[in-house]
């Protein structure tokens, strides 16, 4: 077979050589030990939480080694692609502050010297490498039709063949003569380019996965498709070309690709390229509500599978990232405790601390992490976040919340500048309800009165407060004032004393504040009541006290 002739016949328009590409994309000049990683999603319409998990790993692994991370869009499967798929990825990453050093930055924009970073724009590169493989006798055109391939599958099934696919005696086009190929091409028959595997089914390969250790598998013997009939590469071939010419050192990807490693290694070797280091990360799982079993997070069943869910609910990005890092690296929580205010992107990520088995995504734990994160934020920062979130996801509330920024910020500041701030907000979509009594008249429910306080006593408390409330007093003075009302109302000013002699009183000072709290806020549990009343002002407080008193009549 005249391979040079065949190569020219198949790729008449390819003028570049792999040597040209080597010069155009030289090895990167980076310090010893620097890692080059990439996040390589397909634009299928949304960013999966597992994708964010992978992207974060890529960025932190590169950063911790003073290397480079980049974003490559793998859009070779046009059937799975959706419009705006790239924007969903870019926006998803951006919303969580996961930024790459290089690669695609937006629709039609990118940065870096190793591009283009979108596979559909790299066809010339794939064809250049493919042509050289044909020249070297390591690839050949296959004209088998879909029907022929189906027949082959059925034959292998019927024979109970242990290895299935296009190889050896089944590979009908592997040994076509040049004359046959020329005739097929002249007849306009569609063709795919196949890898001419050199593998031996009796041999095994071994490689080191950086989180799974040494792995051994049978050599690849399948003549995999490299280029589809439209000239677009398969994932396998594009992976080899791209990770070589983008000079990736560490391929970090989902464990679903683990079984493909033998073919990838065979292809890297056939091209004469250094095999990158592989890291196959565990899937993000959840406990199925019904069966209680661990299963993959699925877009169809689990809204939290798409990162947009966290944006829409208003989880702060820091909370999502911190939570993902607790799942990703076993030493993250210790680091966070030692560095409570540090940027998570400065976490010294260690691949060795990554688990190989599927990690459980737990919304309840994320909620706890988020409450902690928000409890550490200052009121003006929370105001900005809530306003930005509401502008996009709750426009009616946006108008209410931003009408008086100083008022909203002051509300958010209640019980915040203290050694142990409250941990009661987990996400921005809770804020409207949490603060509702500042903006709407509350509907206090008499059933929520403390058990030992009768409606008549509650009314007496409310009217006493109405008559004697002084909004300019601080917390201590306010509490002293409530105590001063106790004897007349038949309540005990000291809780301890009440406990010693409960039958002597109707209740204690705490009951007064419970009744007033209920009238003013409609709730039994709120941040500091004294500050709430000051922010509402004397008149609104009085109206609410009266309104509730009337309800009790
Ligand atoms: N485009 C592939 C995917 O979305 C990427 C796998 C890889 O990182 O190599 O699954």
């Amino acid at each position: 077979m005249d391979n040079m002739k065949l190569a020219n016949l198949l790729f008449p328009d390819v003028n570049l050589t792999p040597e040209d590409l080597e010069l155009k994309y030289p090895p990167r000049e980076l310090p010893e030990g620097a890692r080059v990683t990439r996040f390589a999603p397909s634009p299928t319409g949304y960013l999966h939480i597992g994708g964010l998990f992978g992207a974060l790993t890529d960025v932190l692994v590169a950063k911790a080694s003073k290397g480079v991370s980049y974003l490559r869009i793998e859009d070779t499967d046009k059937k799975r692609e959706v419009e705006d798929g790239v924007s969903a990825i870019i926006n998803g990453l951006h919303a969580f502050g996961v930024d790459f050093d290089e690669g695609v930055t937006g629709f039609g924009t990118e940065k870096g010297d190793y591009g283009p970073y979108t596979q559909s724009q790299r066809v010339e590169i794939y064809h250049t490498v493919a042509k050289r493989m044909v020249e070297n006798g390591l690839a050949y055109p296959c004209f088998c039709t879909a029907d022929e391939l189906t027949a082959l599958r059925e034959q292998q099934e019927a024979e109970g063949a242990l290895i299935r696919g296009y190889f050896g005696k089944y590979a009908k086009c592997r040994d076509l003569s040049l004359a046959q190929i020329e005739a097929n091409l002249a007849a306009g028959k569609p063709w795919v380019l196949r890898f001419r595997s050199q593998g031996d089914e009796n041999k095994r390969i071994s490689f080191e996965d950086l989180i799974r250790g040494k792995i051994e598998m049978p050599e690849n013997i399948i003549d995999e498709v490299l280029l589809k009939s439209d000239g677009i590469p398969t994932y396998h071939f594009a992976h080899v070309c791209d990770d070589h010419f983008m000079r990736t050192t560490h391929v970090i990807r989902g464990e679903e690709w683990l079984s493909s490693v033998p073919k990838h290694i065979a292809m890297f070797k056939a091209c004469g390229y250094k095999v990158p280091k592989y890291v196959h990360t565990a899937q993000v799982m959840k406990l199925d509500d019904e069966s209680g079993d661990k299963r993959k997070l699925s877009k169809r069943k689990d809204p939290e599978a798409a990162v947009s869910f966290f944006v829409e609910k208003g989880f702060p990005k820091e909370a999502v990232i911190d939570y993902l890092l607790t799942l990703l690296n076993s030493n993250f929580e210790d680091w966070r405790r030692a560095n409570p205010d540090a940027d998570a992107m400065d976490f010294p990520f260690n691949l060795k601390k990554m688990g190989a088995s599927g990690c459980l995504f737990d919304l309840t734990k994320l909620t706890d992490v988020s409450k902690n994160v928000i409890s550490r934020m200052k009121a003006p920062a929370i105001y900005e976040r809530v306003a930005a979130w509401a502008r996009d996801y709750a426009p009616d509330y946006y108008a209410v919340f931003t009408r008086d920024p100083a008022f909203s910020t002051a509300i958010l500041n209640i019980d915040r500048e203290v050694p142990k701030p409250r941990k009661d907000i987990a996400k921005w979509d809770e804020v409207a309800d949490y603060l509702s009594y500042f903006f709407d008249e509350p509907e206090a429910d008499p059933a929520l009165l403390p058990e030992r306080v009768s409606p008549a006593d509650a009314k007496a408390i409310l009217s006493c407060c109405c008559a004697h409330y002084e909004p300019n007093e601080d917390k201590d003075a306010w509490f002293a004032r409530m105590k001063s009302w106790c004897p007349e109302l038949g309540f005990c000013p000291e809780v301890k004393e009440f406990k010693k002699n409960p039958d002597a009183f109707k209740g204690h000072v705490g009951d007064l504040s419970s009744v007033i709290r209920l009238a003013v806020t409609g709730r039994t549990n709120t941040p500091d009541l004294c500050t709430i009343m000051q922010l509402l002002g004397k008149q609104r407080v009085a109206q609410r006290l009266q309104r509730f008193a009337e309800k009790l009549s």
Side-chain angles (χ1 to χ4, degrees):
M1 165 76 79
D2 184 342
N3 289 328
M4 296 306 272
K5 196 167 171 197
L6 176 59
N8 283 323
L9 204 57
L10 297 175
F11 299 101
D13 301 329
V14 170
N15 299 313
L16 285 175
T17 64
E19 289 71 27
D20 297 329
L21 297 175
E22 293 293 334
L23 288 176
K24 186 164 179 207
Y25 304 113
R28 293 168 183 267
E29 283 173 25
L30 291 169
E32 178 83 21
R35 294 167 170 190
V36 180
T37 61
R38 86 295 191 271
F39 178 49
S42 301
T44 52
Y46 73 104
L47 181 61
H48 190 278
I49 187 78
L52 184 61
F53 190 83
L56 189 57
T57 312
D58 292 317
V59 167
L60 292 180
V61 165
K63 221 169 166 217
S65 66
K66 302 202 165 38
V68 173
S69 61
Y70 66 89
L71 173 64
R72 178 169 77 220
I73 297 293
E74 303 212 326
D75 58 346
T76 57
D77 187 351
K78 292 290 169 194
K79 275 188 251 121
R80 288 176 59 218
E81 190 172 339
V82 300
E83 220 187 320
D84 284 344
V86 174
S87 315
I89 291 165
I90 303 276
N91 296 342
L93 293 167
H94 183 71
F96 294 96
V98 176
D99 295 320
F100 292 87
D101 303 307
E102 271 179 24
V104 176
T105 52
F107 197 76
T109 57
E110 60 175 35
K111 60 178 178 182
D113 296 333
Y114 289 79
Y117 294 88
T118 298
Q119 286 185 332
S120 57
Q121 293 165 23
R122 300 175 60 79
V123 171
E124 190 183 21
I125 296 172
Y126 307 126
H127 286 198
T128 302
V129 178
K131 184 173 187 183
R132 175 61 55 83
M133 290 179 83
V134 175
E135 288 169 4
N136 289 341
L138 291 168
Y140 64 88
C142 166
F143 299 91
C144 285
T145 62
D147 286 347
E148 284 172 300
L149 295 175
T150 309
L152 168 63
R153 247 192 317 275
E154 286 166 1
Q155 180 192 350
Q156 290 178 337
E157 251 164 54
E159 287 173 5
L162 289 178
I163 303 174
R164 300 192 182 174
Y166 202 90
F167 69 97
K169 66 174 182 182
Y170 302 107
K172 281 209 316 216
C173 297
R174 189 173 160 113
D175 295 314
L176 293 181
S177 68
L178 189 56
Q180 285 170 309
I181 295 174
E182 280 177 321
N184 283 342
L185 292 175
K189 286 194 184 170
W191 55 278
V192 301
L193 190 74
R194 283 192 186 270
F195 181 43
R196 189 188 299 280
S197 168
Q198 309 295 302
D200 176 340
E201 67 180 284
N202 298 312
K203 286 197 185 144
R204 296 174 75 77
I205 58 146
S206 84
F207 67 97
E208 183 86 11
D209 181 290
L210 295 196
I211 55 178
R212 285 158 205 273
K214 190 171 166 203
I215 295 184
E216 252 197 38
M217 287 192 212
E219 269 189 12
N220 170 66
I221 61 162
I222 310 290
D223 287 357
E224 285 293 340
V225 175
L226 303 175
L227 298 176
K228 295 178 264 188
S229 57
D230 56 3
I232 299 293
T234 54
Y235 165 75
H236 309 296
F237 187 51
H239 154 49
V240 171
C241 298
D242 291 346
D243 284 315
H244 175 68
F245 285 114
M246 293 180 172
R247 307 294 173 181
T248 309
T249 62
H250 289 62
V251 170
I252 302 171
R253 60 184 179 187
E255 64 186 349
E256 66 274 22
W257 295 109
L258 192 57
S259 60
S260 303
V261 174
K263 36 184 160 246
H264 297 160
I265 291 183
M267 289 179 195
F268 272 102
K269 291 201 167 147
C271 294
Y273 301 154
K274 188 171 175 226
V275 181
K277 296 236 172 2
Y278 282 108
V279 183
H280 289 91
T281 57
Q283 308 261 23
V284 182
M285 317 281 278
K286 79 176 271 180
L287 279 185
D288 189 273
D289 292 339
E290 280 162 30
S291 66
D293 292 337
K294 252 187 177 188
R295 63 167 173 76
K296 242 176 95 175
L297 266 177
S298 102
K299 172 82 196 306
R300 201 168 43 79
K301 292 192 202 156
D302 313 307
E304 72 270 32
V307 299
S308 51
F309 168 85
F310 303 96
V311 179
E312 283 157 23
K313 292 279 171 205
F315 278 103
K317 61 182 180 185
E318 294 86 343
V320 176
I321 296 294
D322 266 31
Y323 178 59
L324 286 182
L325 282 169
T326 62
L327 294 179
L328 276 169
N329 246 208
S330 53
N331 54 337
F332 177 75
E333 280 171 281
D334 288 343
W335 180 83
R336 178 48 90 205
R337 264 189 290 278
N339 304 277
D341 299 318
D343 184 340
M345 293 298 162
D346 291 331
F347 171 61
F349 194 93
N350 185 346
L351 277 175
K352 293 205 176 73
K353 305 268 183 200
M354 246 179 129
S357 58
C359 47
L360 269 188
F361 190 86
D362 181 346
L363 264 179
T364 313
K365 287 215 184 95
L366 167 64
T367 301
D368 285 345
V369 171
S370 198
K371 284 180 177 169
N372 275 313
V373 165
I374 294 177
S375 78
R376 290 196 296 265
M377 290 183 178
K378 300 282 179 217
I382 300 181
Y383 174 80
E384 290 303 328
R385 299 290 196 97
V386 176
W389 173 83
R391 192 170 42 228
D392 292 340
Y393 298 102
D396 292 348
Y397 186 61
Y398 176 74
V400 173
F401 183 74
T402 58
R403 192 173 303 138
D404 181 350
F407 179 63
S408 294
T409 308
I411 300 172
L412 291 167
N413 203 39
I414 305 176
D415 286 352
R416 189 158 291 279
E417 300 294 330
V418 292
K420 282 198 172 170
R422 293 171 75 93
K423 296 182 179 174
D424 37 18
I425 304 174
K427 48 192 187 357
W428 310 138
D429 78 347
E430 294 168 3
V431 170
D433 179 57
Y434 183 66
L435 305 181
S436 64
Y437 53 84
F438 282 100
F439 300 98
D440 305 316
E441 292 307 310
E443 274 315 322
D445 178 358
L448 296 178
L449 281 175
E451 233 171 86
R452 58 179 167 246
V453 180
S454 70
D457 289 333
K459 278 183 76 172
I461 293 171
L462 295 171
S463 89
C464 184
C465 183
C466 223
H468 305 295
Y469 172 54
E470 255 316 316
N472 296 327
E473 286 172 347
D474 67 9
K475 253 192 217 182
D476 290 340
W478 153 247
F479 214 67
R481 186 174 281 273
M482 269 195 301
K483 284 183 179 178
S484 74
W485 302 333
C486 282
E488 194 186 317
L489 292 164
F491 285 68
C492 181
E494 302 300 333
V495 180
K496 260 194 206 151
E497 205 183 310
F498 170 78
K499 285 193 173 149
K500 271 190 245 158
N501 199 0
D503 296 335
F505 306 94
K506 292 177 173 171
H508 59 69
V509 62
D511 296 320
L512 268 65
S513 69
S514 296
V515 173
I516 298 168
R517 184 188 314 277
L518 185 60
V520 173
T521 68
R523 310 201 176 185
T524 53
N525 181 10
T526 68
D528 176 50
L529 180 61
C530 172
T531 320
I532 292 174
M533 300 204 322
Q534 281 172 342
L535 283 170
L536 284 170
K538 188 166 184 172
Q539 203 188 342
R540 284 181 84 184
V541 168
Q543 280 164 357
R544 292 181 182 194
L545 297 173
Q546 276 159 10
R547 210 165 147 246
F548 190 41
E550 280 159 25
K551 228 181 192 175
L552 295 173
S553 303

